[in-house]
Amino acid sequence: QVQLVESGGGLVQTGGSLRLSCTASINLEDITYMYWYRQAPGKRRESVARITSTHRTHYEDSVKGRFAISSDNARNTVYLQMNNLKPEDTAVYYCHSEQYIGDPNGSWGPGTQVTVSS
């Protein structure tokens, strides 16, 4: 199973920026879908952004225009650049991999905390 490790979380003020990283234990070219999810306290885990092995991207409406997902195959790393952060972006952010959408054998990282102060 793919091992995923996130980094880059922290505390930032409203309007600030952070870049999250997710490093995979295998080549990204061998992973069809890489996602960033987030889970705020008392809420369900929700998808934020997705990138495919062919670098096609998808964003949820709540982050469009503010977040950007990218990948570096040479480093087996997926990034989430988060700009113009808002308090409602506060959550634990998770990296997730799937070989196909709905893959029950997908992998999750342990998560990284992002806190946006008002």
Side-chain angles (χ1 to χ4, degrees), residues 42-117:
K43 295 189 177 181
R44 297 180 65 178
R45 192 173 295 188
E46 61 176 4
S47 174
V48 172
R50 180 182 75 217
I51 189 166
T52 70
S53 53
T54 57
H55 301 282
R56 295 184 67 179
T57 60
H58 173 82
Y59 299 92
E60 298 305 318
D61 288 345
S62 59
V63 305
K64 277 183 183 176
R66 300 189 298 124
F67 291 11
I69 189 170
S70 62
S71 61
D72 183 342
N73 288 351
R75 290 179 168 80
N76 294 336
T77 299
V78 174
Y79 302 97
L80 185 68
Q81 178 67 43
M82 305 185 294
N83 299 323
N84 191 21
L85 283 161
K86 305 174 181 180
E88 51 264 43
D89 295 317
T90 295
V92 178
Y93 283 70
Y94 298 91
C95 187
H96 175 59
S97 68
E98 291 181 350
Q99 294 299 75
Y100 55 88
I101 293 178
D103 181 1
N105 296 317
S107 296
W108 292 89
T112 185
Q113 176 71 47
V114 171
T115 303
V116 185
S117 63

Side-chain angles (χ1 to χ4, degrees), residues 9-20:
L11 173 64
V12 65
Q13 291 184 334
T14 296
S17 298
L18 282 175
R19 188 177 78 158
L20 306 183

